[in-house]
Every structure is written in C-alpha cells, then in structure tokens.
Amino acid sequence: AGKWYAEAKLTTSGAYAFIGITDRSPVQNVNDILGSGAYDYSIYQYNGDLFNNAGLNPANDDENYAASYASGDIIGIALDITNSKIYFSKNGAWSDGSGSWDSSTFNSSTGAITITAPASTTHGHYFFASGDYESGQAPTFEWNFGSPAISISSGNADDNGYGNFEYDVPAGYYALNTKNLAEYG
C-alpha cells in the first residue's frame, strides 16, 4: 500500500537505459529488458517510450509517453500502489503521457500509467529498478530513496519532513524509510 517517491540519476549513458519498476528480483537474465515482462513498467532513455510486457523486442513499446533523457538527468518516479498508478518526471518536469516532459506541477490525472495491483503480480510486490538493453552499453544510475549518497543542489522532503530529494516530492507521496513504511506501507 502507499504512495512512494524515488529519483534515479542516469550517470553514464549508453542510449539504452531503462528506469521504472518490476515485480521480479533485481537480478535478471541478460536476455530480459526492464519492461519485457507483464509486471515491468519502464521508460526508455533513447526516446522516452513506455515499456510494459514488450517481450525481448524494443519495438513492442507504447510510443510517445515522454521524451528522451540523457546522462545527468534525474528521473523521478511517483509510485501509487494504493491506486495502481505510476508517474515519471525528468528534472522536475512531469510527463503528460503524450510525448513530452511539460508540467512542473504533479497532476494525478495527467501522465498516469495504470499498473497491475501488487497482489495480482507473480511475486506480490514491486521494486524500483533500472537496467539496459544491450550488453556493452553499461549505463549506470545513482538512486535516491530519500537519503542520497550523492550531492544534490536542493533539498526537498516529503509531507512528513523525511527525505532529501533534488526535486519536489508530490503531495501525499513519501520517501522509503522505516517510519513512512510503518505508517503508510
């Protein structure tokens, strides 16, 4: 249950990076891409397309969800487990769901992706996740779940005052920590 926020900074780009969620364990087969499974939801660095149940072919994506992102960009993920929705932002601008990053203000009716309820997935939960498409591309990511290991230029907390994020945390979404999990999870 609950509504959760995290940020992933693409630090080394290979043009084949994926950022999103999955119900599978973080260690995956080299032939899988994040977005290939029924319970994977990710956005593709190259063009910002949404991947879900795409199999092993990147052409099986949902085009025009957002726009591309590059090394140095921070992708925000607002995961609403309670209502089975996920939203993505780039450098604080939220996707409108039709091909761009255009809104600096989070809106739950814009850019929403409906996900399978965790209880109906194979493993009964979701992980925040990142990955790549081709061996040799090796994109790297720095994740921030509220206590960044990296330096950030601003300090944004959730509604409970927890977390230290680069961009504004949407109202009602929370950093992943034991206090928030005990209250909302």
Side-chain angles (χ1 to χ4, degrees):
K3 296 180 180 183
W4 308 102
Y5 179 77
E7 295 175 340
K9 181 178 183 179
L10 180 61
T11 55
T12 304
S13 175
Y16 293 105
F18 291 83
I19 296 173
I21 61 170
T22 182
D23 82 319
R24 297 182 278 175
S25 142
V27 177
Q28 296 184 20
N29 182 318
V30 295
N31 293 322
D32 287 342
I33 60 173
L34 181 60
S36 65
Y39 311 119
D40 295 350
Y41 302 86
S42 68
I43 54 171
Y44 186 30
Q45 175 194 355
Y46 179 71
N47 55 15
D49 287 359
L50 170 68
F51 280 74
N52 167 245
N53 208 21
L56 300 179
N57 184 353
N60 295 335
D61 61 348
D62 293 328
E63 295 182 6
N64 297 320
Y65 174 74
S68 66
Y69 54 95
S71 183
D73 286 336
I74 296 175
I75 303 300
I77 303 171
L79 177 59
D80 181 349
I81 296 294
T82 303
N83 297 300
S84 301
K85 304 283 185 195
I86 189 171
Y87 308 83
F88 292 95
S89 67
K90 177 178 107 174
N91 301 328
W94 293 91
S95 173
D96 63 3
S98 63
S100 67
W101 307 100
D102 72 342
S103 177
S104 60
T105 304
F106 177 82
N107 180 335
S108 64
S109 63
T110 304
I113 300 164
T114 300
I115 63 173
T116 301
S120 298
T121 68
T122 303
H123 301 291
H125 55 259
Y126 282 109
F127 296 101
F128 287 102
S130 54
D132 65 352
Y133 171 61
E134 282 190 14
S135 62
Q137 294 297 317
T140 57
F141 309 87
E142 293 174 345
W143 281 88
N144 180 0
F145 298 101
S147 181
I150 57 173
S151 136
I152 61 174
S153 61
S154 61
N156 293 285
D158 65 21
D159 290 344
N160 281 345
Y162 298 124
N164 188 14
F165 295 99
E166 185 69 42
Y167 295 101
D168 189 35
V169 179
Y173 285 78
Y174 298 96
L176 282 174
N177 62 44
T178 55
K179 290 183 180 182
N180 282 338
L181 284 168
E183 187 171 349
Y184 303 107

PDB file of all heavy atoms in Angstrom, residues 127-150:
ATOM      1  N   PHE A 127       9.556  -3.596  -7.157  1.00  0.00           N
ATOM      2  CA  PHE A 127      10.852  -2.998  -6.858  1.00  0.00           C
ATOM      3  C   PHE A 127      11.032  -1.789  -7.771  1.00  0.00           C
ATOM      4  O   PHE A 127      10.641  -1.844  -8.942  1.00  0.00           O
ATOM      5  CB  PHE A 127      12.015  -3.947  -7.220  1.00  0.00           C
ATOM      6  CG  PHE A 127      12.089  -5.213  -6.445  1.00  0.00           C
ATOM      7  CD1 PHE A 127      11.628  -6.405  -6.992  1.00  0.00           C
ATOM      8  CD2 PHE A 127      12.669  -5.243  -5.190  1.00  0.00           C
ATOM      9  CE1 PHE A 127      11.727  -7.596  -6.295  1.00  0.00           C
ATOM     10  CE2 PHE A 127      12.775  -6.423  -4.479  1.00  0.00           C
ATOM     11  CZ  PHE A 127      12.302  -7.604  -5.038  1.00  0.00           C
ATOM     12  N   PHE A 128      11.637  -0.721  -7.279  1.00  0.00           N
ATOM     13  CA  PHE A 128      12.155   0.302  -8.189  1.00  0.00           C
ATOM     14  C   PHE A 128      13.332  -0.361  -8.903  1.00  0.00           C
ATOM     15  O   PHE A 128      14.083  -1.136  -8.284  1.00  0.00           O
ATOM     16  CB  PHE A 128      12.641   1.531  -7.416  1.00  0.00           C
ATOM     17  CG  PHE A 128      11.529   2.374  -6.855  1.00  0.00           C
ATOM     18  CD1 PHE A 128      11.204   2.305  -5.517  1.00  0.00           C
ATOM     19  CD2 PHE A 128      10.816   3.231  -7.673  1.00  0.00           C
ATOM     20  CE1 PHE A 128      10.184   3.086  -4.990  1.00  0.00           C
ATOM     21  CE2 PHE A 128       9.790   4.019  -7.161  1.00  0.00           C
ATOM     22  CZ  PHE A 128       9.476   3.948  -5.817  1.00  0.00           C
ATOM     23  N   ALA A 129      13.524  -0.071 -10.197  1.00  0.00           N
ATOM     24  CA  ALA A 129      14.550  -0.794 -10.938  1.00  0.00           C
ATOM     25  C   ALA A 129      15.117   0.042 -12.082  1.00  0.00           C
ATOM     26  O   ALA A 129      14.505   1.002 -12.539  1.00  0.00           O
ATOM     27  CB  ALA A 129      13.955  -2.085 -11.499  1.00  0.00           C
ATOM     28  N   SER A 130      16.288  -0.365 -12.528  1.00  0.00           N
ATOM     29  CA  SER A 130      16.916   0.221 -13.713  1.00  0.00           C
ATOM     30  C   SER A 130      17.636  -0.894 -14.449  1.00  0.00           C
ATOM     31  O   SER A 130      17.945  -1.938 -13.881  1.00  0.00           O
ATOM     32  CB  SER A 130      17.880   1.346 -13.332  1.00  0.00           C
ATOM     33  OG  SER A 130      18.823   0.900 -12.379  1.00  0.00           O
ATOM     34  N   GLY A 131      17.906  -0.679 -15.712  1.00  0.00           N
ATOM     35  CA  GLY A 131      18.591  -1.690 -16.499  1.00  0.00           C
ATOM     36  C   GLY A 131      18.983  -1.152 -17.852  1.00  0.00           C
ATOM     37  O   GLY A 131      18.889   0.046 -18.131  1.00  0.00           O
ATOM     38  N   ASP A 132      19.434  -2.063 -18.711  1.00  0.00           N
ATOM     39  CA  ASP A 132      19.836  -1.674 -20.058  1.00  0.00           C
ATOM     40  C   ASP A 132      19.344  -2.711 -21.055  1.00  0.00           C
ATOM     41  O   ASP A 132      18.817  -3.749 -20.691  1.00  0.00           O
ATOM     42  CB  ASP A 132      21.335  -1.457 -20.162  1.00  0.00           C
ATOM     43  CG  ASP A 132      22.151  -2.719 -19.940  1.00  0.00           C
ATOM     44  OD1 ASP A 132      21.580  -3.763 -19.559  1.00  0.00           O
ATOM     45  OD2 ASP A 132      23.363  -2.672 -20.141  1.00  0.00           O
ATOM     46  N   TYR A 133      19.555  -2.412 -22.342  1.00  0.00           N
ATOM     47  CA  TYR A 133      19.047  -3.265 -23.410  1.00  0.00           C
ATOM     48  C   TYR A 133      20.149  -4.092 -24.055  1.00  0.00           C
ATOM     49  O   TYR A 133      19.933  -5.231 -24.397  1.00  0.00           O
ATOM     50  CB  TYR A 133      18.329  -2.414 -24.456  1.00  0.00           C
ATOM     51  CG  TYR A 133      17.966  -3.166 -25.704  1.00  0.00           C
ATOM     52  CD1 TYR A 133      17.112  -4.259 -25.642  1.00  0.00           C
ATOM     53  CD2 TYR A 133      18.467  -2.794 -26.934  1.00  0.00           C
ATOM     54  CE1 TYR A 133      16.773  -4.964 -26.781  1.00  0.00           C
ATOM     55  CE2 TYR A 133      18.122  -3.492 -28.077  1.00  0.00           C
ATOM     56  CZ  TYR A 133      17.286  -4.572 -28.000  1.00  0.00           C
ATOM     57  OH  TYR A 133      16.952  -5.266 -29.113  1.00  0.00           O
ATOM     58  N   GLU A 134      21.312  -3.545 -24.257  1.00  0.00           N
ATOM     59  CA  GLU A 134      22.370  -4.259 -24.946  1.00  0.00           C
ATOM     60  C   GLU A 134      23.594  -4.390 -24.075  1.00  0.00           C
ATOM     61  O   GLU A 134      24.000  -3.444 -23.418  1.00  0.00           O
ATOM     62  CB  GLU A 134      22.764  -3.517 -26.225  1.00  0.00           C
ATOM     63  CG  GLU A 134      21.815  -3.713 -27.365  1.00  0.00           C
ATOM     64  CD  GLU A 134      22.386  -3.166 -28.660  1.00  0.00           C
ATOM     65  OE1 GLU A 134      23.584  -2.882 -28.727  1.00  0.00           O
ATOM     66  OE2 GLU A 134      21.609  -3.033 -29.599  1.00  0.00           O
ATOM     67  N   SER A 135      24.204  -5.571 -24.119  1.00  0.00           N
ATOM     68  CA  SER A 135      25.467  -5.713 -23.398  1.00  0.00           C
ATOM     69  C   SER A 135      26.484  -4.786 -24.044  1.00  0.00           C
ATOM     70  O   SER A 135      26.454  -4.527 -25.238  1.00  0.00           O
ATOM     71  CB  SER A 135      25.945  -7.161 -23.439  1.00  0.00           C
ATOM     72  OG  SER A 135      26.177  -7.561 -24.771  1.00  0.00           O
ATOM     73  N   GLY A 136      27.364  -4.258 -23.245  1.00  0.00           N
ATOM     74  CA  GLY A 136      28.367  -3.334 -23.756  1.00  0.00           C
ATOM     75  C   GLY A 136      27.973  -1.880 -23.631  1.00  0.00           C
ATOM     76  O   GLY A 136      28.810  -1.000 -23.725  1.00  0.00           O
ATOM     77  N   GLN A 137      26.683  -1.595 -23.440  1.00  0.00           N
ATOM     78  CA  GLN A 137      26.248  -0.208 -23.299  1.00  0.00           C
ATOM     79  C   GLN A 137      26.503   0.293 -21.883  1.00  0.00           C
ATOM     80  O   GLN A 137      26.892   1.416 -21.697  1.00  0.00           O
ATOM     81  CB  GLN A 137      24.762  -0.071 -23.651  1.00  0.00           C
ATOM     82  CG  GLN A 137      24.472  -0.345 -25.100  1.00  0.00           C
ATOM     83  CD  GLN A 137      25.147   0.646 -26.017  1.00  0.00           C
ATOM     84  OE1 GLN A 137      25.158   1.838 -25.756  1.00  0.00           O
ATOM     85  NE2 GLN A 137      25.723   0.161 -27.096  1.00  0.00           N
ATOM     86  N   ALA A 138      26.252  -0.532 -20.890  1.00  0.00           N
ATOM     87  CA  ALA A 138      26.570  -0.301 -19.478  1.00  0.00           C
ATOM     88  C   ALA A 138      26.197   1.073 -18.924  1.00  0.00           C
ATOM     89  O   ALA A 138      27.044   1.774 -18.403  1.00  0.00           O
ATOM     90  CB  ALA A 138      28.046  -0.579 -19.240  1.00  0.00           C
ATOM     91  N   PRO A 139      24.919   1.472 -19.000  1.00  0.00           N
ATOM     92  CA  PRO A 139      24.547   2.704 -18.314  1.00  0.00           C
ATOM     93  C   PRO A 139      24.644   2.492 -16.804  1.00  0.00           C
ATOM     94  O   PRO A 139      24.484   1.380 -16.311  1.00  0.00           O
ATOM     95  CB  PRO A 139      23.098   2.941 -18.744  1.00  0.00           C
ATOM     96  CG  PRO A 139      22.583   1.588 -19.085  1.00  0.00           C
ATOM     97  CD  PRO A 139      23.766   0.813 -19.614  1.00  0.00           C
ATOM     98  N   THR A 140      24.928   3.555 -16.078  1.00  0.00           N
ATOM     99  CA  THR A 140      24.955   3.478 -14.617  1.00  0.00           C
ATOM    100  C   THR A 140      23.987   4.511 -14.047  1.00  0.00           C
ATOM    101  O   THR A 140      23.692   5.519 -14.684  1.00  0.00           O
ATOM    102  CB  THR A 140      26.374   3.702 -14.049  1.00  0.00           C
ATOM    103  OG1 THR A 140      26.851   4.966 -14.492  1.00  0.00           O
ATOM    104  CG2 THR A 140      27.324   2.598 -14.491  1.00  0.00           C
ATOM    105  N   PHE A 141      23.519   4.227 -12.841  1.00  0.00           N
ATOM    106  CA  PHE A 141      22.488   5.036 -12.206  1.00  0.00           C
ATOM    107  C   PHE A 141      22.869   5.299 -10.764  1.00  0.00           C
ATOM    108  O   PHE A 141      23.499   4.476 -10.118  1.00  0.00           O
ATOM    109  CB  PHE A 141      21.150   4.291 -12.215  1.00  0.00           C
ATOM    110  CG  PHE A 141      20.752   3.759 -13.558  1.00  0.00           C
ATOM    111  CD1 PHE A 141      21.179   2.516 -13.991  1.00  0.00           C
ATOM    112  CD2 PHE A 141      19.943   4.506 -14.397  1.00  0.00           C
ATOM    113  CE1 PHE A 141      20.813   2.014 -15.227  1.00  0.00           C
ATOM    114  CE2 PHE A 141      19.563   4.024 -15.636  1.00  0.00           C
ATOM    115  CZ  PHE A 141      20.005   2.767 -16.054  1.00  0.00           C
ATOM    116  N   GLU A 142      22.442   6.430 -10.243  1.00  0.00           N
ATOM    117  CA  GLU A 142      22.528   6.733  -8.817  1.00  0.00           C
ATOM    118  C   GLU A 142      21.096   6.907  -8.330  1.00  0.00           C
ATOM    119  O   GLU A 142      20.375   7.757  -8.827  1.00  0.00           O
ATOM    120  CB  GLU A 142      23.328   8.017  -8.577  1.00  0.00           C
ATOM    121  CG  GLU A 142      24.787   7.896  -8.943  1.00  0.00           C
ATOM    122  CD  GLU A 142      25.542   9.220  -8.832  1.00  0.00           C
ATOM    123  OE1 GLU A 142      24.892  10.288  -8.753  1.00  0.00           O
ATOM    124  OE2 GLU A 142      26.771   9.170  -8.858  1.00  0.00           O
ATOM    125  N   TRP A 143      20.704   6.078  -7.366  1.00  0.00           N
ATOM    126  CA  TRP A 143      19.344   6.105  -6.851  1.00  0.00           C
ATOM    127  C   TRP A 143      19.271   6.921  -5.569  1.00  0.00           C
ATOM    128  O   TRP A 143      20.187   6.896  -4.756  1.00  0.00           O
ATOM    129  CB  TRP A 143      18.858   4.682  -6.575  1.00  0.00           C
ATOM    130  CG  TRP A 143      18.435   3.991  -7.835  1.00  0.00           C
ATOM    131  CD1 TRP A 143      19.220   3.267  -8.679  1.00  0.00           C
ATOM    132  CD2 TRP A 143      17.127   3.986  -8.400  1.00  0.00           C
ATOM    133  NE1 TRP A 143      18.475   2.807  -9.735  1.00  0.00           N
ATOM    134  CE2 TRP A 143      17.193   3.230  -9.585  1.00  0.00           C
ATOM    135  CE3 TRP A 143      15.910   4.541  -8.016  1.00  0.00           C
ATOM    136  CZ2 TRP A 143      16.067   3.018 -10.391  1.00  0.00           C
ATOM    137  CZ3 TRP A 143      14.803   4.325  -8.810  1.00  0.00           C
ATOM    138  CH2 TRP A 143      14.894   3.572  -9.988  1.00  0.00           C
ATOM    139  N   ASN A 144      18.158   7.611  -5.396  1.00  0.00           N
ATOM    140  CA  ASN A 144      17.898   8.380  -4.185  1.00  0.00           C
ATOM    141  C   ASN A 144      16.502   8.012  -3.679  1.00  0.00           C
ATOM    142  O   ASN A 144      15.499   8.322  -4.313  1.00  0.00           O
ATOM    143  CB  ASN A 144      17.984   9.880  -4.467  1.00  0.00           C
ATOM    144  CG  ASN A 144      17.716  10.727  -3.253  1.00  0.00           C
ATOM    145  OD1 ASN A 144      17.464  10.231  -2.167  1.00  0.00           O
ATOM    146  ND2 ASN A 144      17.757  12.032  -3.440  1.00  0.00           N
ATOM    147  N   PHE A 145      16.465   7.338  -2.529  1.00  0.00           N
ATOM    148  CA  PHE A 145      15.200   6.966  -1.901  1.00  0.00           C
ATOM    149  C   PHE A 145      14.885   7.872  -0.717  1.00  0.00           C
ATOM    150  O   PHE A 145      14.020   7.573   0.085  1.00  0.00           O
ATOM    151  CB  PHE A 145      15.244   5.499  -1.462  1.00  0.00           C
ATOM    152  CG  PHE A 145      15.427   4.558  -2.624  1.00  0.00           C
ATOM    153  CD1 PHE A 145      16.666   4.019  -2.888  1.00  0.00           C
ATOM    154  CD2 PHE A 145      14.371   4.250  -3.458  1.00  0.00           C
ATOM    155  CE1 PHE A 145      16.854   3.160  -3.970  1.00  0.00           C
ATOM    156  CE2 PHE A 145      14.545   3.405  -4.531  1.00  0.00           C
ATOM    157  CZ  PHE A 145      15.792   2.854  -4.790  1.00  0.00           C
ATOM    158  N   GLY A 146      15.638   8.962  -0.604  1.00  0.00           N
ATOM    159  CA  GLY A 146      15.400   9.920   0.466  1.00  0.00           C
ATOM    160  C   GLY A 146      16.628  10.248   1.273  1.00  0.00           C
ATOM    161  O   GLY A 146      16.643  11.209   2.018  1.00  0.00           O
ATOM    162  N   SER A 147      17.655   9.462   1.121  1.00  0.00           N
ATOM    163  CA  SER A 147      18.924   9.704   1.811  1.00  0.00           C
ATOM    164  C   SER A 147      20.029   9.562   0.773  1.00  0.00           C
ATOM    165  O   SER A 147      20.673   8.520   0.659  1.00  0.00           O
ATOM    166  CB  SER A 147      19.117   8.695   2.944  1.00  0.00           C
ATOM    167  OG  SER A 147      20.325   8.958   3.615  1.00  0.00           O
ATOM    168  N   PRO A 148      20.237  10.613  -0.028  1.00  0.00           N
ATOM    169  CA  PRO A 148      21.118  10.479  -1.186  1.00  0.00           C
ATOM    170  C   PRO A 148      22.588  10.266  -0.803  1.00  0.00           C
ATOM    171  O   PRO A 148      23.099  10.891   0.111  1.00  0.00           O
ATOM    172  CB  PRO A 148      20.943  11.803  -1.927  1.00  0.00           C
ATOM    173  CG  PRO A 148      20.549  12.766  -0.869  1.00  0.00           C
ATOM    174  CD  PRO A 148      19.737  11.976   0.115  1.00  0.00           C
ATOM    175  N   ALA A 149      23.189   9.381  -1.539  1.00  0.00           N
ATOM    176  CA  ALA A 149      24.630   9.171  -1.400  1.00  0.00           C
ATOM    177  C   ALA A 149      25.379  10.165  -2.277  1.00  0.00           C
ATOM    178  O   ALA A 149      26.601  10.236  -2.241  1.00  0.00           O
ATOM    179  CB  ALA A 149      24.975   7.747  -1.808  1.00  0.00           C
ATOM    180  N   ILE A 150      24.636  10.910  -3.062  1.00  0.00           N
ATOM    181  CA  ILE A 150      25.225  11.884  -3.986  1.00  0.00           C
ATOM    182  C   ILE A 150      24.895  13.289  -3.496  1.00  0.00           C
ATOM    183  O   ILE A 150      23.969  13.487  -2.715  1.00  0.00           O
ATOM    184  CB  ILE A 150      24.681  11.683  -5.414  1.00  0.00           C
ATOM    185  CG1 ILE A 150      23.138  11.789  -5.420  1.00  0.00           C
ATOM    186  CG2 ILE A 150      25.140  10.358  -5.967  1.00  0.00           C
ATOM    187  CD1 ILE A 150      22.520  11.763  -6.768  1.00  0.00           C
TER     188      ILE A 150
END
